[in-house]
Amino acid sequence: MTLTARRYVVVVLVAAAAWLVVAAAALTIGPVNIFGVGGAVQRQMLDGRIGEVVTASLVGAALAVSGAAFQALLRNPLADPYILGVSGGASLGVILGTLVLPPAWLYLRLPLGGTVSLPGVCGFLMALAVIAVVYLIAQRRGRLDPYRLILTGVVASAFFSAAIMLAVALAGDRLRNELIFWLMGGLGSPRDQRGELAVAAVVVMAGLAVFVWQARGFNLLAFGEDVAASLGLDVQRHRRTAFVVASLLAGISVSLAGPIGFVGLIVPHLVRMAFGSDHRLLVPLSVFGGAVFLTVAHRLVLLVPYEVGGGLPVGIVTAMCGVPFFVLLLVCGRGIRGGVL
Amino acid sequence: MSVHGLPLCGRAALSAAWAAVVALAATGCTEERALSPRPPAERTVVSLVPSATEILFALGAGDRVVGRSIYCRYPPRALMLPAYGSYTDVRVEELLAVHPDLVIFNTSKADSYGRLTAAGIRCIAPPTDTVQQVYETIEVLGAEVGAADRASALADGLRERLEAVRRRTASLPRVRTLMVFPSVLGEGNQVSVIGRGTFVSELLDAAGGENVVEAEGYPRVHFEKVSQWPIEAILISAPGDIAPGLTDEQYREPWMRWPTIPAVASGRVVVLREAYLTIPGPRMADAAELLERTLHGEAAAGTSTSWGSSGKMPLPLMGRMPMPRYGPQTSVCPAAAGDAGGGAL
């Protein structure tokens, strides 16, 4: 496949524009008609919605590109950002932080305004720890083998899901309900999250930049390790970087919004089906695709009136809307080509 | 035990002996069963519902309560009892060993309910979703433990106190009130509110409030939606015994972002730490009186709001108040505490 610079720029710019349009439209959609309220209320609502849309976009982008990276790294079409236990670790960190930290510390006010949720920070630190542990177990003399990595990750994942279940079982009545809802994934916060979102945005952008830069390496790896090496790719270094950065993205998205399923699995596949499996396009398109997908899913959730069960976790919608769409593409479209391997 | 290799007659003898043992055990059981329906005044009870536990103690049957749920924390004496699980997660085997005469459940749909019933232990699950049902449950439990008279007296007393609250607030302007359960972890921008058809909502009604929530039950509502309601007072039910608790200020913080809600503008966002507010038991009259005090101030004397419409909280509200745990605290809302029990909000 030929990817000219012109095509690259055009496709990426169109995707970015699509995201901007969706984000702007999302600001006008919500539980309340924002045009029907007065100026002061309108500003408050807009403030809240910007927070929601930014969170959804950041988390969606991080998950989608992390999923694309894991699918390429592990050479497994079923890989998603949560496969290596990083999200389990991050979730456990958030839950333990909530259970253990003194109440007054749960939300720290930043000097510049906004608050930071310390359980979220615990989640991120835990994700870092899990990345280190999984890496240490999976590597052999500095070599990272995808099969060892996936085995280690699945075991770590199983361990953390057990630990989460334990924590949920031991939590009090009311907190347990909240934990369960949180584990289904939610977006936005009634608190002033600006500080938190700014930090997360920097980390996510840096991670995305790394993958854009690494895209060619993923393409080479698709030919197999030996071919990639003979074409001049430092395979081990590439794998290490991809593993760490993809895990970081997964960790930060869980810390921000809880484990939202399916985005990281499906968005890269959708992009592949539509635009082929060249990672130079796949990575940036997954970024915008993930952002759009999660933003739209979240807006859909918000449209459910509260009398009939509003306040659903967005993770339910991502799966329920994503699966039929995925099946439709699979049946009617070109299907999943060997883009992953 | 293996009987292989024994001569045939030996096997026959063994099985005969086994039959005898089984028969003996069976008669033993029936004898015990025959003893089992003790007179109500001697029955032992395991209560897996906080409100039922409180009712039993209030009826003077506390001595015969031999177990509780992990949520039953009042009266303090109940804490000494062994806990046999949560609402649905019940340690059936231990209960079978204890073999109480009565087990009180939150729901008859629990798996353990069926298992205990099948094992011959009487189980009941009296509903307490409305105030009327609470009275009925008190009478039911009174009959079960042979304290019918005390039960009637307790129910009548509660009825009278609630009626008194209702009378006192009848002539006062209704305060449009939103009652919420706070979120500790992220619920997104959603908040869990107390809707109609709940006994708390009824208490609020008696206390001269008007629930702004139209829906039934405990729905989750987006802050945007809530901001459109004409709310004059927001009551945050955050019992001190539910970990982890935030400070009052932290519980109020999400609301401070919506200054156009009248309650927020006038500073009527109150954190109520009393666990009994949401327990449909003998302390529900306390809860109604607490709501009355919170909404209308002591004796509705018309004491002016202490912090007007500046939107600023008075100092006593800012810090973290000591968490009242159990016991019939009467003045808990911080303003009331600061105002010698008389702060109208």
Side-chain angles (χ1 to χ4, degrees):
Chain A
M1 139 175 302
T2 54
L3 178 64
T4 59
R6 190 157 156 248
R7 178 161 182 254
Y8 181 84
V9 170
V10 168
V11 170
V12 171
L13 280 183
V14 167
W19 169 70
L20 272 177
V21 169
V22 167
L27 293 179
T28 67
I29 298 167
V32 171
N33 177 10
I34 200 167
F35 300 113
V37 295
V41 190
Q42 206 171 39
R43 268 197 302 282
Q44 291 159 27
M45 283 188 186
L46 205 57
D47 202 36
R49 288 183 185 186
I50 290 173
E52 286 174 346
V53 170
V54 169
T55 315
S57 300
L58 276 180
V59 170
L63 287 177
V65 80
S66 166
F70 273 125
Q71 286 163 7
L73 173 71
L74 301 172
R75 307 183 62 164
N76 187 329
L78 287 178
D80 75 352
Y82 302 150
I83 198 166
L84 293 189
V86 176
S87 72
S91 301
L92 187 65
V94 173
I95 291 175
L96 287 184
T98 311
L99 291 176
V100 173
L101 284 174
W105 288 17
L106 285 180
Y107 298 96
L108 279 198
R109 204 179 277 285
L110 295 177
L112 294 175
T115 53
V116 156
S117 125
L118 276 194
V121 175
C122 292
F124 189 64
L125 294 180
M126 192 78 169
L128 293 182
V130 176
I131 294 171
V133 170
V134 169
Y135 176 76
L136 284 179
I137 298 175
Q139 60 90 29
R140 261 187 178 167
R141 287 179 230 101
R143 286 179 59 83
L144 208 51
D145 172 59
Y147 297 99
R148 266 182 85 87
L149 191 58
I150 206 165
L151 271 182
T152 316
V154 166
V155 169
S157 194
F159 173 80
F160 285 118
S161 67
I164 289 168
M165 280 194 280
L166 178 71
V168 169
L170 294 182
D173 193 20
R174 205 182 276 181
L175 186 61
R176 178 179 310 144
N177 283 344
E178 267 196 52
L179 288 179
I180 289 172
F181 259 95
W182 183 82
L183 282 170
M184 291 194 261
L187 284 169
S189 160
R191 284 163 218 285
D192 187 351
Q193 268 189 314
R194 272 173 293 185
E196 214 165 283
L197 285 178
V199 176
V202 170
V203 176
V204 171
M205 300 289 181
L208 301 182
V210 170
F211 280 134
V212 169
W213 171 67
Q214 273 208 331
R216 202 179 145 265
F218 283 127
N219 282 348
L220 293 180
L221 261 188
F223 294 116
E225 197 173 326
D226 297 338
V227 179
S230 70
L231 288 173
L233 180 71
D234 184 344
V235 174
Q236 288 311 318
R237 206 178 118 198
H238 178 89
R239 277 192 186 143
R240 270 198 303 274
T241 319
F243 163 67
V244 171
V245 174
S247 302
L248 272 181
L249 291 177
I252 200 141
S253 72
V254 171
S255 306
L256 262 186
I260 297 172
F262 217 69
V263 182
L265 175 69
I266 199 167
V267 171
H269 280 304
L270 292 179
V271 173
R272 255 187 224 109
M273 285 177 197
F275 296 94
S277 51
D278 185 336
H279 284 80
R280 285 172 294 176
L281 270 184
L282 180 61
V283 168
L285 289 183
S286 292
V287 171
F288 294 114
V292 166
F293 182 74
L294 198 55
T295 306
V296 171
H298 184 234
R299 288 291 126 183
L300 286 179
V301 170
L302 292 182
L303 288 179
V304 180
Y306 82 96
E307 291 91 343
V308 295
L312 293 172
V314 68
I316 293 176
V317 176
T318 55
M320 284 190 130
C321 298
V323 172
F325 189 47
F326 192 71
V327 170
L328 196 75
L329 275 181
L330 208 57
V331 174
C332 307
R334 299 185 290 173
I336 302 179
R337 295 265 177 80
V340 177
L341 299 178
Chain B
M1 176 167 64
S2 164
V3 292
H4 293 290
L6 281 177
L8 201 59
C9 59
R11 259 194 229 187
L14 250 184
S15 58
W18 182 241
V21 169
V22 169
L24 261 179
T27 47
C29 274
T30 46
E31 238 170 308
E32 202 180 59
R33 286 261 168 82
L35 286 174
S36 187
R38 280 184 261 195
E42 291 171 20
R43 281 183 196 158
T44 56
V45 189
V46 168
S47 166
L48 300 172
V49 191
S51 57
T53 310
E54 287 190 29
I55 292 171
L56 291 170
F57 274 89
L59 294 178
D63 298 341
R64 286 180 285 130
V65 179
V66 294
R68 61 174 181 118
S69 77
I70 53 172
Y71 306 128
C72 303
R73 298 182 180 120
Y74 188 88
R77 264 204 298 159
L79 283 171
M80 317 288 278
L81 297 170
Y84 289 102
S86 59
Y87 292 144
T88 48
D89 224 354
V90 180
R91 301 187 193 161
V92 175
E93 290 190 3
E94 287 170 46
L95 277 181
L96 285 175
V98 174
H99 212 282
D101 298 309
L102 178 67
V103 181
I104 302 163
F105 274 86
N106 192 28
T107 163
S108 58
K109 287 179 192 136
D111 176 50
S112 39
Y113 186 98
R115 286 177 66 193
L116 288 175
T117 309
I121 296 180
R122 181 167 161 70
C123 298
I124 58 173
T128 50
D129 298 328
T130 64
V131 169
Q132 184 55 34
Q133 284 177 344
V134 176
Y135 296 143
E136 286 162 13
T137 295
I138 291 174
E139 306 268 3
V140 166
L141 291 183
E144 290 285 347
V145 298
D149 294 345
R150 289 187 76 160
S152 299
L154 177 63
D156 288 345
L158 286 176
R159 221 175 257 129
E160 247 164 58
R161 282 174 67 192
L162 275 186
E163 214 33 63
V165 172
R166 213 180 279 277
R167 269 198 309 277
R168 284 197 297 272
T169 59
S171 58
L172 299 173
R174 322 288 292 164
V175 181
R176 285 188 290 246
T177 307
L178 176 72
M179 296 184 73
V180 302
F181 293 126
S183 152
V184 178
L185 267 169
E187 273 188 286
N189 286 329
Q190 317 278 343
V191 56
S192 295
V193 303
I194 298 181
R196 304 202 172 197
T198 59
F199 92 98
V200 190
S201 192
E202 274 187 75
L203 296 183
L204 180 68
D205 187 59
E210 182 191 326
N211 197 344
V212 291
V213 183
E214 309 253 312
E216 304 260 314
Y218 303 91
R220 290 150 53 84
V221 193
H222 198 279
F223 270 92
E224 279 184 14
K225 190 90 193 162
V226 175
S227 75
Q228 299 297 294
W229 293 343
I231 308 165
E232 293 169 315
I234 297 171
L235 308 183
I236 303 172
S237 168
D241 56 321
I242 288 188
L246 300 185
T247 60
D248 285 10
E249 194 197 352
Q250 286 174 318
Y251 280 133
R252 266 191 224 104
E253 196 202 316
W255 295 101
M256 296 304 129
R257 300 185 67 193
W258 297 94
T260 51
I261 298 176
V264 179
S266 63
R268 293 181 80 173
V269 183
V270 185
V271 181
L272 297 174
R273 297 287 187 170
E274 292 73 7
Y276 61 75
L277 190 61
T278 51
I279 298 179
R283 289 186 291 166
M284 71 182 180
D286 294 342
E289 287 162 6
L290 168 71
L291 290 174
E292 180 197 2
R293 262 197 318 280
T294 311
L295 294 179
H296 295 291
E298 201 72 45
T303 35
S304 63
T305 55
S306 43
W307 58 94
S309 56
S310 65
K312 289 269 186 229
M313 292 286 154
L315 276 177
L317 279 174
M318 301 297 283
R320 181 175 185 183
M321 54 172 302
M323 281 188 200
R325 293 236 161 189
Y326 315 101
Q329 321 91 326
T330 42
S331 97
V332 262
C333 78
D339 250 342
L345 290 177

